[in-house]
């Protein structure tokens, strides 16, 4: 078992420097959209920008102590939840494109959207029953939404695997979202169950950042300027 002092030091380094590395990767993804050929996914552009904004705010506000923590946390958790709802909208849009490419009905996207709203609303009301602070309630709701996004991504992949010829960009975007959300769910679970165990919290943090960077890498490659001109990858 890792020494607690060493684990605490590594966890502090990860907490201090991880967001800066994430901002760098997110900025590189945003730079892809400067090419007009990469603007056919407006929700992906919007999500990338909001993700970068959330990361910047999460670094700048605590660093300069612009607001007391108890005033900042409700705003930040609400912004984080909003970002995940935007990601849900992007996934539903890409899921719809996938269904069209399969010559299948896209009618399932509306029930999925409604069910997603029900899941989020149920989680929000459930976590409010115990009289928890509002930011804790919103944070727990975001955790449920993250898990729900993983499930939708799994369904999305069952559709993608039905095609021998896949759209490269949609394939990479789906892979990136799946990586990021899976890492976040694992990290959330570890932090919730073992919040006083620093070595395990460090492991959860490493998983979260590793999958986040992997997501940024796949998105960066998804929007290579010549990617849309390349042949579609085959599963055979």
């Amino acid at each position: 078992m890792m020494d607690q002092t060493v684990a605490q030091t590594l966890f502090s380094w990860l907490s201090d420097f991880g967001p800066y590395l994430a901002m760098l990767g997110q900025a590189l993804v945003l730079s892809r959209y400067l090419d007009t050929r990469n603007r056919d996914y407006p929700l992906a552009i919007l999500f990338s920008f909001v993700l970068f904004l959330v990361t910047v705010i999460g670094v700048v506000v605590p660093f300069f102590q612009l607001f007391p923590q108890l005033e900042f946390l409700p705003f930040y958790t609400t912004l984080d939840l909003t970002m995940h709802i935007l990601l849900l909208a992007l996934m539903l849009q890409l899921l719809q494109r996938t269904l069209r490419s399969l010559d299948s009905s896209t009618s399932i996207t509306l029930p999925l959207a409604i069910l997603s709203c029900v899941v989020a609303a149920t989680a929000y009301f459930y976590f409010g029953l115990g009289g928890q602070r509002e930011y804790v309630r919103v944070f727990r709701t975001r955790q449920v939404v993250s898990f729900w996004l993983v499930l939708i991504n799994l369904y999305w992949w069952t559709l993608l695997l039905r095609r021998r010829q896949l759209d490269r960009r949609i394939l990479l975007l789906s892979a990136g979202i799946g990586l990021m959300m899976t890492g976040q769910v694992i990290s959330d679970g570890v932090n919730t169950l073992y919040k006083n165990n620093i070595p395990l919290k460090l492991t959860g943090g490493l998983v979260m950042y590793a999958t986040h960077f992997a997501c940024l890498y796949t998105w960066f490659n998804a929007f290579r300027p010549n990617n849309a001109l390349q042949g579609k990858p085959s599963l055979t």
Side-chain angles (χ1 to χ4, degrees), residues 173-192:
L173 290 173
S174 174
I177 292 171
L179 285 166
M180 180 168 63
M181 287 298 98
T182 301
Q184 189 170 76
V185 167
I186 292 173
S187 178
D188 286 343
V190 170
N191 288 331
T192 300

Side-chain angles (χ1 to χ4, degrees), residues 8 71 117-118 132 163-164 171 173 183 187 193 204:
Q8 181 64 61
E71 293 181 13
C117 292
V118 171
Q132 300 185 69
R163 286 181 60 90
R164 293 184 180 275
L171 181 65
L173 290 173
S187 178
L193 296 174

Side-chain angles (χ1 to χ4, degrees), residues 25-217:
Q26 292 159 12
L28 288 173
V29 172
L30 284 172
S31 70
R32 287 297 202 193
Y33 304 128
L34 296 175
D35 191 318
T36 56
R37 291 171 293 181
N38 291 332
R39 296 178 186 174
D40 51 344
Y41 293 88
L43 277 179
I45 298 174
L46 181 59
F47 171 75
S48 299
F49 175 76
V50 173
L51 175 62
F52 180 73
L53 181 65
V54 169
T55 306
V56 170
I57 291 175
V59 169
V60 172
V61 173
F63 183 81
F64 291 102
Q65 299 181 346
L66 299 179
F67 299 99
Q69 186 179 36
L70 289 180
E71 293 181 13
F72 173 63
L73 283 176
F75 167 75
Y76 184 78
T77 52
T78 301
L79 185 61
D80 188 34
L81 177 59
T82 303
M83 180 188 71
H84 283 75
I85 293 173
L86 179 60
L87 179 59
L88 170 64
L90 171 61
M91 291 178 67
L92 291 175
Q93 181 190 62
L94 295 176
L95 179 60
Q96 191 174 54
R97 291 196 183 194
T98 301
L99 288 167
R100 284 175 180 164
S101 71
L102 291 168
D103 296 322
S104 300
S105 172
T106 61
S107 59
I108 193 173
T109 54
L110 179 58
L112 267 179
I114 295 173
L115 184 57
S116 300
C117 292
V118 171
V119 169
T122 302
Y124 180 76
F125 285 113
Y126 173 78
F127 290 118
L129 296 177
Q132 300 185 69
R133 291 179 182 269
E134 181 64 17
Y135 74 85
V136 176
R137 186 181 185 184
V138 173
F139 175 72
R140 296 301 184 197
T141 302
R142 197 277 297 156
Q143 289 181 315
V144 172
V145 171
S146 295
F147 183 74
W148 177 247
L149 292 179
V150 171
L151 296 181
I152 292 180
N153 190 260
L154 288 174
Y155 168 67
W156 186 9
W157 267 92
T158 64
L159 296 177
L160 290 171
L161 292 175
R162 285 166 55 184
R163 286 181 60 90
R164 293 184 180 275
Q165 301 294 323
L166 304 177
D167 182 286
R168 188 180 296 275
R169 280 191 173 169
I170 289 183
L171 181 65
L172 289 172
L173 290 173
S174 174
I177 292 171
L179 285 166
M180 180 168 63
M181 287 298 98
T182 301
Q184 189 170 76
V185 167
I186 292 173
S187 178
D188 286 343
V190 170
N191 288 331
T192 300
L193 296 174
Y194 305 101
K195 57 185 177 181
N196 296 320
N197 189 314
I198 300 301
L200 286 178
K201 286 185 66 176
L202 172 63
T203 302
L206 288 172
V207 170
M208 183 187 70
Y209 277 109
T211 53
H212 186 77
F213 294 142
C215 168
L216 295 176
Y217 178 76

Side-chain angles (χ1 to χ4, degrees), residues 10-37:
L10 292 175
F11 184 74
S12 297
W13 286 352
L14 184 66
S15 301
D16 291 340
F17 297 109
Y20 291 98
L21 293 174
M23 278 195 297
L24 177 60
Q26 292 159 12
L28 288 173
V29 172
L30 284 172
S31 70
R32 287 297 202 193
Y33 304 128
L34 296 175
D35 191 318
T36 56
R37 291 171 293 181

